[in-house]
């Protein structure tokens, strides 16, 4: 119905839009245009003087023309220096400069005395620059100012000489060209603005995905190393831990991605260089094997960690070398202990399914047998009392028989209790729940625990640091009770005075709890079966204590190991430190590790 108002509303809407170039792009283009203005002013002055000399005329340009050009050169230099030094209010500086360009060009066109197509064409550059660098309303004002000056100059020239519709038509056509150039430049600038926004959005998304990828690589339980042209360009935290290669805790970065690119690159190179040097020294065989694989070829092998790499914690690694498209190599390190843990979990699952279904059925007749043996033992005691008053010869014979029966009944009762303990341990396996982890300050918690459970025994505590771990307190109690009881029992076999020592200290980002006793240790042939269910060297044991303890440790992201290299019998519990100095250093350098 009313197309004209709609067009005006649309134009007004677009003019009010603030879709302009970002400040870095605006500053770059503004410097380019300011340099163009200064060069143009110098070139115009030289052209005027050269033209005057080439016409063999001794007269110099007019005073107005010289003044305008000198003023233009001076102001162009001032605007260029001001825009380069001052980074605030850039659009106002550009708007002032573009308005000055229109005024100076109009004065030069006026001093020429006749319409000059070359000067008139320079208006188009000003109009195009205004729509690209300024807001729509400011650019429109600059364009209207240029149109007014051009039409006025043509109209004034026509009055001063002779009225010519051709000149006025040229002026109107030139004005329409200004509007067309302005509209075209504005549409191009809007498209550039949208492309800049889209590129910035994509850059943020790529950066976010990169951060996520780096975090995923950092938190992976498998070690990841990337080698490019015999130089390590990436190594995550798990690679350091699996290979026991320490990082430099004094080199840390603030976890931001802005304004620290040079520092970030320098620190990353230092960390990578340090990691590569330690790797080539401590694991020269592994490093050479990785470098020797030809580009484009894959390889997998088992790597035995040397003793310097704390082989008691990580014995063997599966190494996979995968070629990448840019001739670099991706090296994956996997701890084989995890496969053993998975195998034990499968055993646990099958064991739980089997025992949970029959445990209660076994306990019912077992309770009856236990009760019957107790009643029989009571009957033996009562019959011995009654026969003690009878004939001595008959009483002695009867007492011998009853004593033999009493020992048999006692044996039955003790064995039923042993079977009951086995069933209870098996039921604990099948009823394992998720660990309810809590922060435990070992220096405060451990003395209370020993006071509650081992007050009457010689258990000596040596705390060399003040660590904090995250562990289920009930499960930690069960693990320590089992280990300390084993230590007291087996040390009593070797020494008349049984004792256990507990040492607590830190190594890297781990808290180490060593349970030491003076027993004979575990035989070499029993090491591979030590944590298997129902394996025991004690005739009265169930063979589930160590298995349960290891399961509790794994549920709390800890490790339970037997250390054969130790001088004493040593079971070592390794748990991640929480809020300790080592963990703080690791957290500070966690950002570095993402880019290793």
């Amino acid at each position: 119905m009313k197309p004209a108002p709609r067009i005006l509303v649309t134009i007004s809407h677009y003019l009010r839009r603030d879709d302009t170039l970002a400040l870095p792009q605006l500053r770059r283009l503004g410097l380019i245009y300011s340099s163009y203005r200064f060069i143009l002013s110098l070139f115009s002055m030289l052209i005027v003087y050269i033209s005057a000399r080439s016409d063999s005329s001794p007269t110099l340009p007019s005073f107005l023309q010289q003044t305008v050009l000198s003023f233009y050169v001076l102001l162009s230099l001032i605007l260029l220096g001001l825009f380069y030094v001052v980074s605030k209010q850039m659009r106002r500086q550009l708007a002032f400069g573009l308005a000055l360009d229109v005024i100076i060009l109009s004065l030069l066109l006026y001093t020429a005395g006749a319409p000059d197509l070359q000067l008139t064409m320079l208006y188009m550059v000003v109009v195009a620059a205004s729509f690209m660098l300024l807001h729509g309303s400011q650019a429109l004002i600059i364009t209207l100012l240029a149109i007014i000056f051009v039409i006025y100059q043509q109209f004034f020239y026509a009055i001063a000489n002779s009225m010519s519709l051709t000149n006025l038509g040229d002026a109107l056509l030139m004005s329409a060209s200004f509007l067309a150039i302005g509209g075209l430049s504005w549409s191009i600038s809007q498209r550039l603005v949208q492309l800049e926004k889209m590129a910035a959005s994509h850059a943020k998304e790529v950066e976010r995905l990169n951060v996520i990828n780096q975090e995923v690589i950092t938190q992976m339980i498998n070690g990841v190393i990337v080698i490019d042209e015999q130089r390590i360009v990436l190594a995550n935290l798990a690679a350091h831990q699996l290979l026991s290669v320490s990082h430099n805790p004094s080199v840390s970065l603030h976890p931001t991605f802005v304004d620290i690119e040079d520092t970030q690159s320098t620190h990353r190179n230092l960390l990578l260089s340090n990691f590569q040097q330690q790797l080539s020294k401590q694991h020269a065989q592994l490093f050479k094997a990785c470098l020797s694989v030809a580009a484009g070829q894959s390889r997998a092998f088992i790597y035995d960690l040397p003793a310097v790499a704390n082989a008691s914690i990580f014995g063997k690694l599966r190494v996979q070398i995968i070629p990448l498209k840019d001739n670099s190599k991706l090296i994956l390190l996997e701890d084989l202990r995890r496969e053993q843990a998975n195998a034990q979990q499968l055993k646990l699952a099958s064991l739980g399914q089997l025992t949970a279904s029959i445990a209660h059925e076994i306990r019912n007749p077992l309770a009856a047998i236990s009760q019957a043996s107790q009643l029989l033992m009571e009957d033996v005691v009562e019959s011995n009392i009654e026969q003690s008053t009878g004939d001595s010869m008959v009483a002695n014979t009867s007492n011998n028989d009853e004593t033999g029966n009493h020992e048999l009944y006692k044996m039955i009762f003790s064995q039923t209790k042993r079977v009951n303990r086995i069933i209870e341990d098996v039921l604990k396996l099948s009823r394992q729940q998720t660990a309810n982890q809590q922060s435990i300050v070992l220096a405060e918690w451990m003395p209370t625990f020993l006071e509650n459970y081992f007050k009457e025994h010689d258990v000596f505590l040596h705390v060399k640091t003040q660590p904090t771990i995250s562990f289920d307190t009930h499960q930690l109690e069960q693990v320590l009770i089992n280990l300390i009881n084993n230590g007291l029992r087996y040390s009593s076999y070797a020494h008349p005075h049984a004792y256990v020592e507990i040492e607590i200290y830190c190594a890297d980002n781990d808290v180490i709890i060593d349970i030491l006793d003076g027993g004979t240790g575990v035989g070499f042939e029993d090491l591979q079966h030590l944590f298997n269910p129902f394996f025991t060297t004690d005739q009265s044991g169930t063979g589930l204590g160590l298995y349960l303890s290891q399961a509790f440790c794994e549920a709390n992201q800890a490790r339970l190991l037997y250390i054969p290299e130790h001088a004493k019998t040593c079971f070592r519990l390794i748990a991640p430190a929480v809020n300790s100095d080592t963990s703080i250093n690791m957290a500070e350098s966690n950002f570095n590790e993402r880019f290793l």
Side-chain angles (χ1 to χ4, degrees), residues 460-529:
F460 305 103
L461 178 63
H462 306 286
V463 180
K464 301 179 181 179
T465 184
Q466 303 289 327
T468 301
I469 64 173
S470 181
F471 217 101
D472 188 303
T473 55
H474 176 70
Q475 294 181 356
L476 182 59
E477 288 177 354
Q478 296 299 315
V479 172
L480 293 177
I481 288 173
N482 185 28
L483 295 177
I484 295 174
N485 282 332
N486 285 348
L488 291 172
R489 181 168 62 254
Y490 283 98
S491 64
S492 65
Y493 297 158
H495 303 280
H497 180 69
Y499 70 94
V500 169
E501 295 180 83
I502 301 177
E503 294 184 357
I504 300 176
Y505 56 95
C506 290
D508 292 334
N509 193 39
D510 292 330
V511 176
I512 311 297
I513 304 175
D514 283 347
I515 311 298
L516 308 173
D517 65 76
T520 57
V522 180
F524 178 77
E525 66 279 0
D526 296 331
L527 286 177
Q528 58 181 343
H529 307 295

Side-chain angles (χ1 to χ4, degrees), residues 288-290 292-293 297-301 319-323 330:
K288 291 180 180 178
C290 294
S292 62
V293 177
Q297 294 183 357
S298 60
R299 182 185 175 189
F301 58 92
V319 182
Q320 289 182 305
I321 303 177
I322 303 173
L330 173 63

Side-chain angles (χ1 to χ4, degrees), residues 203-215 218 253-265 268 590-592 594-595:
K204 289 182 179 180
E205 184 67 19
V206 170
E207 180 180 339
R208 187 178 71 87
L209 293 176
N210 183 61
V211 172
I212 293 174
N213 291 335
Q214 296 294 342
E215 185 67 23
T218 302
L253 293 177
H254 191 272
T256 58
F257 293 91
V258 184
D259 299 332
I260 62 168
E261 292 183 359
D262 294 338
T263 305
Q264 189 182 94
S265 177
R268 183 172 65 248
N590 188 31
F591 174 78
N592 304 331
R594 297 177 188 172
F595 292 92

Side-chain angles (χ1 to χ4, degrees), residues 154-448:
Q154 294 289 348
F155 184 73
F156 177 80
Y157 178 77
I159 293 177
N161 294 277
S162 60
M163 183 64 66
S164 175
L165 296 177
T166 303
N167 294 334
L168 292 178
D170 292 341
L172 294 176
L173 183 61
M174 188 64 65
S175 301
S177 300
F178 290 169
L179 292 176
I181 291 295
L184 182 61
S185 177
W186 180 81
S187 63
I188 294 174
S189 66
Q190 293 302 302
R191 185 175 292 275
L192 290 176
V193 169
Q194 296 300 323
L195 290 176
E196 287 287 344
K197 289 182 177 180
M198 187 179 299
S201 176
H202 289 171
K204 289 182 179 180
E205 184 67 19
V206 170
E207 180 180 339
R208 187 178 71 87
L209 293 176
N210 183 61
V211 172
I212 293 174
N213 291 335
Q214 296 294 342
E215 185 67 23
V216 170
I217 293 174
T218 302
Q219 299 300 328
M220 286 179 63
I221 57 178
N222 291 338
V224 177
I225 301 175
V226 176
I227 298 180
D228 185 15
E229 296 180 355
Q230 298 188 353
R231 185 173 63 91
I232 296 177
V233 297
L234 185 148
N236 67 345
L237 183 60
H240 284 77
Q241 294 176 343
L242 291 173
L243 297 172
S244 297
V245 175
S246 61
H247 64 284
N248 186 2
S250 63
V251 180
S252 61
L253 293 177
H254 191 272
T256 58
F257 293 91
V258 184
D259 299 332
I260 62 168
E261 292 183 359
D262 294 338
T263 305
Q264 189 182 94
S265 177
T266 302
H267 285 215
R268 183 172 65 248
N269 292 334
L270 288 175
L271 289 169
L272 288 168
S273 177
N274 179 56
F275 177 79
Q276 184 165 342
Q277 290 178 1
Q278 295 188 58
L279 182 64
S280 60
K281 292 179 181 179
Q282 300 180 14
H283 304 277
Q285 181 182 358
L286 174 63
F287 191 60
K288 291 180 180 178
C290 294
L291 295 180
S292 62
V293 177
Q297 294 183 357
S298 60
R299 182 185 175 189
F301 58 92
I302 304 298
Y303 175 65
D304 293 327
L305 288 169
V308 294
N310 199 357
S312 61
I313 298 179
F314 300 105
K316 295 183 178 181
L317 299 178
R318 175 182 286 111
V319 182
Q320 289 182 305
I321 303 177
I322 303 173
L324 301 178
K325 293 182 178 179
D326 55 354
N327 292 329
S328 58
K329 304 169 186 177
L330 173 63
I331 302 171
L332 300 178
L333 307 176
E334 183 181 0
D335 178 19
L336 291 182
R337 289 183 62 253
R338 193 172 301 111
E339 292 185 358
Q340 298 174 359
N342 292 335
Q344 289 189 356
Q345 291 298 326
L346 292 176
K347 292 180 182 179
L348 176 62
S350 60
L351 180 64
Q353 293 176 356
L354 175 63
T355 57
S357 60
I358 64 174
H360 294 289
E361 298 298 331
I362 294 177
R363 298 186 76 176
N364 290 333
L366 187 65
I369 296 172
S370 176
Q371 184 179 7
S373 62
Q374 288 179 303
L375 292 175
L376 290 173
M377 285 189 293
E378 291 176 0
D379 290 341
V380 170
V381 173
E382 291 176 357
S383 75
N384 286 338
I385 294 174
E386 291 175 356
Q387 292 177 2
S388 63
T389 58
D391 182 69
S392 61
M393 182 66 69
V394 177
N396 289 334
T397 305
S398 178
N399 285 338
N400 291 334
D401 295 338
E402 294 295 340
T403 300
N405 291 335
H406 184 273
E407 292 299 325
L408 293 176
Y409 300 151
K410 187 177 180 180
M411 184 184 300
I412 294 173
F413 179 69
S414 65
Q415 293 301 316
T416 56
K417 289 200 302 182
R418 181 170 182 267
V419 174
N420 187 64
R421 288 199 307 271
I422 294 176
I423 293 174
E424 288 179 353
D425 289 342
V426 170
L427 288 177
K428 287 181 183 178
L429 291 177
S430 61
R431 287 198 298 255
Q432 283 191 52
Q433 297 179 354
T434 304
N436 182 20
Q437 293 183 333
Q438 301 175 10
S439 294
I440 301 175
V441 181
L442 291 176
E444 301 175 359
W445 182 87
M446 190 67 75
T448 305

